[in-house]
């Protein structure tokens, strides 16, 4: 069987379609500038919503040249465990729980199961 090999058309590696008559979508080049003075262009479709900022990959975030200023998104406050605990219980309730647990640790009252 090794002397006979099956030959195929390599369907996965080559396309049988041609580029004849194919019209690419209309594009626009949008220019961005980073804070260090580096400018770069990114192609977008004419129908696309162009973002106000774009990451160049090497020079950081660039702002669109000639576009409106990007909207400042408010920084989200990082909630700590203490913040989440205070959302569920009042400070007085927490103080009562702490006093109760300390009394159990000291052996003043037996633990409840």
């Amino acid at each position: 069987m090794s002397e006979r090999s099956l030959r195929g058309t390599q369907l996965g590696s080559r396309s049988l379609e041609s580029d004849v008559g194919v019209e690419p979508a209309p594009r626009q080049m949008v220019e961005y500038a980073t804070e260090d003075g580096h400018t770069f262009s990114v192609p977008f479709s004419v129908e696309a919503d162009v973002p106000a900022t774009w990451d160049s990959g090497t020079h950081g975030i660039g702002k669109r040249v000639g576009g409106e200023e990007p909207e400042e998104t408010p920084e989200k406050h990082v909630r700590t465990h203490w913040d989440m605990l205070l959302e569920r219980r009042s400070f007085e309730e927490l103080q009562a729980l702490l006093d109760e647990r300390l009394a159990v640790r000291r052996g003043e009252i037996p633990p409840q199961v």
Side-chain angles (χ1 to χ4, degrees), residues 6-79:
L6 298 173
R7 297 177 190 243
T9 60
Q10 299 176 354
L11 288 176
S13 63
R14 287 188 210 149
S15 174
L16 299 177
E17 295 182 15
S18 67
D19 292 336
V20 176
V22 175
E23 186 74 25
R27 305 219 178 255
Q28 61 179 335
M29 295 299 287
V30 179
E31 191 172 356
Y32 291 92
T34 60
E35 290 181 0
D36 63 354
H38 177 73
T39 59
F40 58 96
S41 297
V42 180
F44 287 99
S45 171
V46 174
E47 301 169 354
D49 293 330
V50 179
T53 60
W54 192 266
D55 188 2
S56 73
T58 54
H59 294 276
I61 304 291
K63 293 182 182 176
R64 184 176 177 187
V65 176
E68 66 272 355
E69 286 293 317
E71 296 177 9
E72 292 293 327
T73 56
E75 210 171 290
K76 191 173 183 181
H77 174 68
V78 178
R79 291 182 357 179

Side-chain angles (χ1 to χ4, degrees), residues 77-105:
H77 174 68
V78 178
R79 291 182 357 179
T80 62
H81 293 289
W82 180 248
D83 295 332
M84 290 185 270
L85 189 61
L86 287 176
E87 289 174 4
R88 294 191 310 266
R89 298 187 185 266
S90 68
F91 190 76
E92 291 78 22
E93 289 176 315
L94 291 173
Q95 187 64 44
L97 285 172
L98 177 63
D99 293 339
E100 178 186 334
R101 296 314 299 168
L102 287 175
V104 169
R105 288 288 292 164

